[in-house]
Amino acid sequence: TLPVDPEKALPRAKNLTVRNVTATLSPEYDGPSLAFDIEGIPEKPFQNFLFENVKIEARTYGTVRHVQNLRFVDVDVTVKAED
């Protein structure tokens, strides 16, 4: 086996657009409910993520880490606490 250059071994995610999405929380659903779960890696953060015209209902906001140039345009997140 040949050695792999560590820089090339890391995955890369960039230039992602999420547009015109509505996600609602169903009363019957009792599993995990995060508005966002976006986590790059420190050595190669995600780049250029855009969320546009997005409406989300969730139980928690979630996590966003290791992202460069994350933009929200017309995004509405509603966090509904459990009864």
Side-chain angles (χ1 to χ4, degrees):
T1 9
L2 296 173
V4 176
D5 177 356
E7 180 66 22
K8 292 180 181 177
L10 296 174
R12 178 185 316 246
K14 64 180 183 176
N15 303 326
L16 174 81
T17 298
V18 177
R19 182 178 288 132
N20 301 327
V21 173
T22 300
T24 56
L25 188 57
S26 171
E28 303 84 36
Y29 179 70
D30 64 352
S33 175
L34 290 79
F36 299 99
D37 189 10
I38 306 169
E39 189 162 354
I41 51 178
E43 297 84 5
K44 215 171 227 182
F46 293 157
Q47 297 176 327
N48 306 325
F49 277 28
L50 168 64
F51 288 82
E52 183 177 12
N53 192 29
V54 174
K55 295 181 182 11
I56 300 173
E57 288 180 2
R59 288 193 192 95
T60 63
Y61 182 77
T63 303
V64 176
R65 294 182 61 199
H66 308 298
V67 181
Q68 294 175 340
N69 194 28
L70 172 65
R71 296 186 310 141
F72 294 104
V73 177
D74 192 24
V75 173
D76 180 26
V77 176
T78 303
V79 175
K80 295 189 170 204
E82 295 187 45
D83 297 328

